[in-house]
Amino acid sequence: MSAPAIIEAAGVSGSLGAVAYGLAAIGPGVGIGLIFGHGVEAMARQPEAAGMIRTNMYIGFALTEALALLGIVMPFVFGK
């Protein structure tokens, strides 16, 4: 039995793409929180390295945010 048949038999309706994006946004949301939290902690411990830490923090933010953008595109790519 295929996954769409199981979903239809269970009576699930609505936008499964929205549910998929909601699940896909959890990981990048946690990742961004960790990046900025640890970045602030690192700057508080070593203020002289704040510039380098901030640069690396923004690079990590951009790469993590790219995952969220992929998550919003995938339901449209694999949708019906």
Side-chain angles (χ1 to χ4, degrees):
M1 186 174 232
S2 66
I6 294 171
I7 291 170
E8 186 176 329
V12 176
S13 64
S15 177
L16 292 177
V19 173
Y21 177 65
L23 292 174
I26 291 172
V30 170
I32 289 170
L34 288 173
I35 288 169
F36 282 102
H38 289 293
V40 169
E41 181 182 344
M43 284 186 265
R45 288 178 184 253
Q46 285 190 311
E48 66 276 3
M52 184 180 65
I53 293 168
R54 188 176 297 115
T55 302
N56 289 333
M57 188 172 65
Y58 288 138
I59 291 170
F61 168 74
L63 293 173
T64 306
E65 190 63 29
L67 292 175
L69 294 175
L70 285 174
I72 200 168
V73 170
M74 285 302 127
F76 296 111
V77 171
F78 293 115
K80 291 183 180 179

